[in-house]
Amino acid sequence: DTAVSQTPKYLVTQMGNDKSIKCEQNLGHDTMYWYKQDSKKFLKIMFSYNNKELIINETVPNRFSPKSPDKAHLNLHINSLELGDSAVYFCASAGTFNEKLFFGSGTQLSVL
Amino acid sequence: SQQGEEDPQALSIQEGENATMNCSYKTSINNLQWYRQNSGRGLVHLILIRSNEREKHSGRLRVTLDTSKKSSSLLITASRAADTASYFCATDGAPNRGSTLGRLYFGRGTQLTVWP
């Protein structure tokens, strides 16, 4: 069983569209994250949720809206997609003390 | 910025050789972690070393931490072709600021290629 799973794996879309990426973890963790990896492999945190509550928002544009229906799910909705949003988006979760992260396999978003 | 910085950016070696990657960071930390990322996959946690530790081993991995120099190194001994991946260090920011809420700061990684 995949511990952290996110869908879709690939997402190709036009500028201006709205898209969502879903993430689920079956590890029983309380904390989940969204990270963005750019073309130079730089990985940066976007959001963190603990038990369905937002605890980290790293100066991400309002076009990005995370939503956590329960502590096992953290989805990412992106409005009015821009070329610069093209990147790989990773979902992750963390257990006790929020130290070691478990990552999903990533969603490659390409905005044309 | 607070992210770690790995060095070298790319490393190419033969199977059986040792691979050493370095990481420098800028702020005080509670711990430092190393992750591996295979092409097209997510990051996988390798090892965590706490600020009061100087060295840690896990199988063929050896990690050192020098908090006075704000640097860490990852040594992979007797490398294999399957070790080909990007390796990232991640720090958790400044402990004096209280809980870091699990926020990790990553560098851009070292791309390791191990040739058979």
Side-chain angles (χ1 to χ4, degrees):
Chain A
D1 283 344
T2 304
V4 181
S5 59
Q6 53 181 109
T7 55
K9 175 76 174 170
Y10 300 97
L11 191 50
V12 181
T13 188
Q14 301 285 333
M15 272 176 54
N17 284 350
D18 303 338
K19 290 294 178 184
S20 292
I21 308 171
K22 294 185 176 181
C23 179
E24 175 182 4
Q25 54 97 1
N26 62 7
L27 298 167
H29 290 163
D30 286 337
T31 310
M32 296 184 71
Y33 308 81
W34 279 108
Y35 277 81
K36 178 181 179 179
Q37 187 174 44
D38 64 21
S39 58
K40 296 184 179 179
K41 291 203 168 181
F42 179 42
L43 196 67
K44 187 174 180 182
I45 190 169
M46 299 173 67
F47 299 103
S48 174
Y49 269 71
N50 182 270
N51 228 342
K52 302 191 297 177
E53 290 193 26
L54 179 67
I55 55 171
I56 296 175
N57 181 340
E58 288 284 304
T59 323
V60 178
N62 291 336
R63 298 182 296 102
F64 290 79
S65 53
K67 190 164 186 180
S68 182
D70 55 62
K71 75 172 193 177
H73 295 83
L74 180 62
N75 304 320
L76 183 64
H77 188 77
I78 315 170
N79 289 326
S80 304
L81 279 156
E82 301 177 355
L83 293 176
D85 297 332
S86 295
V88 183
Y89 293 84
F90 287 98
C91 177
S93 70
T96 308
F97 307 120
N98 296 328
E99 289 183 333
K100 174 180 169 181
L101 297 189
F102 293 80
F103 282 84
S105 57
T107 295
Q108 172 79 60
L109 172 64
S110 298
V111 183
L112 307 177
Chain B
S1 66
Q2 293 174 282
Q3 73 264 21
E5 190 171 316
E6 292 88 351
D7 172 64
Q9 286 189 345
L11 181 60
S12 186
I13 59 174
Q14 295 290 129
E15 263 191 330
E17 294 180 343
N18 295 341
T20 300
M21 289 158 269
N22 302 298
C23 169
S24 59
Y25 57 92
K26 296 178 181 175
T27 65
S28 299
I29 60 172
N30 292 306
N31 64 64
L32 182 144
Q33 302 178 46
W34 285 91
Y35 286 79
R36 184 188 73 228
Q37 183 181 31
N38 289 87
S39 180
R41 306 298 298 272
L43 281 75
V44 175
H45 180 268
L46 293 176
I47 197 164
L48 180 153
I49 186 167
R50 301 195 184 281
S51 59
N52 62 352
E53 297 176 309
R54 290 297 165 257
E55 188 170 313
K56 204 162 184 180
H57 297 254
S58 176
R60 293 184 296 112
L61 305 181
R62 173 178 168 255
V63 169
T64 62
L65 179 63
D66 187 337
T67 52
S68 65
K69 295 181 179 178
K70 291 188 169 58
S71 68
S72 173
S73 68
L74 171 67
L75 168 67
I76 303 175
T77 60
S79 63
R80 305 166 183 168
D83 294 329
T84 294
S86 291
Y87 291 82
F88 294 83
C89 69
T91 58
D92 64 349
N96 291 336
R97 295 180 188 174
S99 171
T100 57
L101 303 175
R103 178 192 283 109
L104 291 185
Y105 297 94
F106 288 84
R108 285 192 170 85
T110 291
Q111 173 62 51
L112 172 67
T113 303
V114 182
W115 299 99

